[in-house]
Amino acid sequence: MARDQLQVLNALDVAKTQWYHFTAIIIAGMGFFTDAYDLFCISLVTKLLGRIYYHVPGSPKPGTLPPNVAAAVNGVAFCGTLAGQLFFGWLGDKLGRKKVYGMTLMVMVICSIASGLSFGHEPKAVMATLCFFRFWLGFGIGGDYPLSATIMSEYANKKTRGAFIAAVFAMQGFGIMAGGIFAIIISSAFEAKFPAPAYADDALGSTVSQADFVWRIILMVGAIPAAMTYYSRSKMPETARYTALVAKDAKQAASDMSRVLQVEIEAQQQKVEEISKDKSKAFSLFSKEFMKRHGLHLLGTTSTWFLLDIAFYSQNLFQKDIFSAIGWIPPAQTMNAIQEVFKIARAQTLIALCSTVPGYWFTVAFIDVIGRFAIQLMGFFFMTVFMFALAIPYNHWTHKENRIGFVVMYSLTFFFANFGPNATTFVVPAEIFPARFRSTCHGISAASGKLGAMVGAFGFLYLAQSPDKAKTDAGYPPGIGVRNSLIVLGVVNFLGILFTFLVPESKGKSLEEMSGENEENENSNSDSRTVPIV
């Protein structure tokens, strides 16, 4: 296939791993570090927000966010992310990856800071402000998904491309962990400076006025890592694949990559013009020809990401409730407000440290060895197994002597989500579509995932409630309980196994080979329109 490929693209495909690869991973990865910090830190402070703004005098339990407010605060960033993935994904194919890359970061920086500010002190004003800025924060985060994946896939060589894209995504694990660690530090510092009695001893005194600063600081610190990488992003050259195959400027592509790879590369402008004249290449997104070539692939990437995120985000968002149910986090009335933040953050950090981070880096290590398909299939399979193993004997796990076993099993589902479909659903859409649709199709796949995240985030706030009305959280109708919710998630993961069979394996192949752009070149060279080259 290499003989039909532009020299500049072949040079990228066969390039040895160099310093610029690691620079690109860090620049793109810091965006994902920030994404994860911003998306997941809200689950650390929702209980605190309930205590501060929804305290009910005389109630035996601390205040909690009303169901509609909790759903909005937890899920509004996902709505923004979905919109950002579609918009910036499309824009990345229209204007170029580099031009749009800085925009997303600035939106994230501004909205991270703004989400810690609020107009007034009334609950309605504070929550409305928080939701407004978290929507736009999500919008910026959404753009990072298709752009980071596409830029990394177009910079990488074909031998280690999977590991490089997965390494960018793996920075999410460090972002989740950083959120937990920072919340532990802040809550410890405030608890030492402003000690308070437990809620049961003094309901009003258990939430000190300074606690209002805790959640704001935790949310606002997300701006720092994003701001630190803005300059580096602005200095990255446009990817050669966009410049040559979409913008049709072979001279600029060769010049940029000569500088990056430090080798002499021929421009081949005439060859680029020949490729652009090829009528078989002129089909548009969602045209009959596109659906024939890539329709099933797009169905595979969107459906698997959708199903994965239902399970993944519902786990993350109600893990604090699971920890409460099994006794890792004591009853709310036995703690003051800041102690509760500390306990929730500690539990989330332990899960990230023991299963989330290792799972991501196992994917990085093995994705170019055993392939994307095998890792995704294995991940969905074990997630299904562990979900049912948690759900079916659920009462057994709630006994005090079995709690550690529950946490181990729960951690393993996270491990296989990350050493599995959570990483591969991000990698594959950046490899299998043509350059002129790559960012858009990745954005569509990622948006489908965020739709699943919203089902998980909104749906499981209600589903996981106890069927016994007396045991439900304030304002929630009875649900199906944690046990039945875990069974539903097990079924979702099983469907993920089935849809994985629609996704092609891209290990060791060039991007043009996977997208069919090489077939088109070769067909046009021989004036043949018959048998595509596989």
Side-chain angles (χ1 to χ4, degrees):
M1 306 304 290
R3 70 182 183 278
D4 294 289
Q5 201 168 20
L6 287 168
Q7 191 184 332
V8 65
L9 306 186
N10 191 50
L12 282 165
D13 275 345
V14 300
K16 288 181 178 164
T17 301
Q18 298 171 41
W19 178 244
Y20 85 88
H21 286 123
F22 296 108
T23 308
I25 289 170
I26 292 162
I27 293 168
M30 283 311 285
F32 264 85
F33 177 95
T34 310
D35 296 351
Y37 181 101
D38 288 334
L39 281 178
F40 292 109
C41 69
I42 197 68
S43 66
L44 300 170
V45 298
T46 45
K47 297 267 189 184
L48 178 62
L49 290 169
R51 283 187 186 240
I52 295 169
Y53 295 106
Y54 293 91
H55 172 68
V56 180
S59 170
K61 287 182 177 179
T64 56
L65 296 178
N68 58 335
V69 176
V73 167
N74 279 313
V76 73
F78 296 142
C79 301
T81 305
L82 188 152
Q85 285 162 336
L86 293 172
F87 176 71
F88 286 115
W90 168 79
L91 207 61
D93 282 335
K94 292 293 173 197
L95 301 183
R97 291 54 161 132
K98 177 196 160 88
K99 280 183 186 170
V100 184
Y101 211 24
M103 291 182 209
T104 63
L105 216 52
M106 283 317 296
V107 173
M108 284 157 62
V109 170
I110 293 163
C111 294
S112 280
I113 294 166
S115 62
L117 306 172
S118 58
F119 305 123
H121 294 283
E122 290 303 305
K124 196 174 274 188
V126 174
M127 294 303 140
T129 311
L130 177 61
C131 288
F132 175 81
F133 285 115
R134 278 192 67 78
F135 174 86
W136 291 107
L137 172 65
F139 191 68
I141 288 170
D144 232 42
Y145 277 73
L147 293 166
S148 289
T150 302
I151 284 170
M152 200 63 242
S153 75
E154 292 182 346
Y155 263 115
N157 60 50
K158 63 184 179 183
K159 190 179 174 188
T160 56
R161 185 178 62 237
F164 288 161
I165 306 170
V168 168
F169 195 64
M171 294 298 283
Q172 266 203 344
F174 291 125
I176 295 169
M177 201 162 71
I181 291 168
F182 185 70
I184 287 170
I185 293 166
I186 287 292
S187 57
S188 300
F190 272 76
E191 175 63 16
K193 183 79 175 163
F194 310 107
Y199 183 87
D201 300 330
D202 179 359
L204 209 56
S206 68
T207 306
V208 294
S209 60
Q210 291 84 358
D212 197 44
F213 292 111
V214 172
W215 70 268
R216 295 173 190 276
I217 293 167
I218 289 170
L219 295 185
M220 291 168 88
V221 160
I224 295 171
M228 284 165 61
T229 51
Y230 181 76
Y231 177 77
S232 304
R233 281 196 181 186
S234 67
K235 291 296 171 191
M236 282 179 87
E238 180 57 86
T239 71
R241 285 183 160 91
Y242 182 85
T243 308
L245 298 175
V246 184
K248 317 288 187 215
D249 189 346
K251 192 176 177 184
Q252 187 63 50
S255 164
D256 287 343
M257 291 309 108
S258 294
R259 202 165 63 249
V260 168
L261 295 169
Q262 295 176 328
V263 293
E264 202 56 46
I265 297 171
E266 189 188 338
Q268 296 181 294
Q269 183 64 38
Q270 190 181 349
K271 194 161 187 177
V272 166
E273 284 163 11
E274 278 173 23
I275 294 168
S276 65
K277 285 174 190 168
D278 179 6
K279 297 293 182 224
S280 71
K281 210 185 164 199
F283 61 88
S284 58
L285 188 66
F286 298 129
S287 64
K288 194 174 176 184
E289 185 65 19
F290 174 86
M291 297 311 287
K292 189 174 121 186
R293 290 169 183 251
H294 303 292
L296 280 178
H297 297 163
L298 191 59
L299 176 63
T301 58
T302 51
S303 58
T304 50
W305 208 335
F306 174 77
L307 294 163
L308 175 273
D309 272 9
I310 292 176
F312 188 78
Y313 280 89
S314 62
Q315 287 178 77
N316 269 299
L317 289 166
F318 72 89
Q319 72 176 210
K320 58 184 180 295
D321 303 311
I322 288 179
F323 289 135
S324 298
I326 61 159
W328 255 36
I329 297 170
Q333 59 270 28
T334 65
M335 300 178 282
N336 68 39
I338 293 173
Q339 284 169 344
E340 190 173 34
V341 173
F342 175 86
K343 292 277 171 65
I344 292 167
R346 186 182 65 177
Q348 187 162 307
T349 306
L350 282 168
I351 284 288
L353 192 61
C354 299
S355 65
T356 309
V357 171
Y360 281 123
W361 291 98
F362 263 74
T363 304
V364 174
F366 291 105
I367 193 165
D368 288 312
V369 179
I370 60 176
R372 290 80 164 138
F373 179 82
I375 288 176
Q376 186 161 308
L377 204 62
M378 175 196 69
F380 270 129
F381 173 77
F382 281 112
M383 285 171 75
T384 308
V385 168
F386 287 120
M387 281 293 182
F388 286 129
L390 286 171
I392 294 162
Y394 182 69
N395 289 336
H396 165 83
W397 297 118
T398 56
H399 297 150
K400 198 167 185 180
E401 64 274 15
N402 302 324
R403 284 175 185 166
I404 297 300
F406 181 95
V407 173
V408 168
M409 298 279 276
Y410 185 70
S411 296
L412 283 168
T413 62
F414 261 86
F415 175 80
F416 282 107
N418 295 312
F419 181 32
N422 195 36
T424 54
T425 52
F426 177 79
V427 173
V428 174
E431 299 182 306
I432 63 175
F433 299 106
R436 66 193 185 283
F437 305 136
R438 188 168 290 133
S439 179
T440 305
C441 288
H442 194 286
I444 292 166
S445 304
S448 172
K450 278 298 166 285
L451 198 61
M454 285 192 276
V455 172
F458 292 116
F460 282 91
L461 278 169
Y462 291 86
L463 274 183
Q465 293 297 319
S466 170
D468 181 353
K469 198 164 177 24
K471 293 180 181 174
T472 61
D473 291 339
Y476 284 89
I480 60 173
V482 176
R483 178 180 183 269
N484 290 332
S485 297
L486 290 167
I487 290 173
V488 171
L489 292 176
V491 173
V492 165
N493 291 328
F494 179 73
L495 290 173
I497 294 174
L498 303 181
F499 279 99
T500 295
F501 287 94
L502 295 175
V503 180
E505 178 58 75
S506 48
K507 175 170 78 89
K509 295 178 181 176
S510 78
L511 295 177
E512 288 68 43
E513 199 176 339
M514 282 309 301
S515 64
E517 285 162 301
N518 265 5
E519 290 174 18
E520 293 155 1
N521 296 358
E522 203 158 292
N523 286 350
S524 67
N525 288 348
S526 60
D527 286 329
S528 163
R529 296 286 179 272
T530 51
V531 185
I533 298 162
V534 179

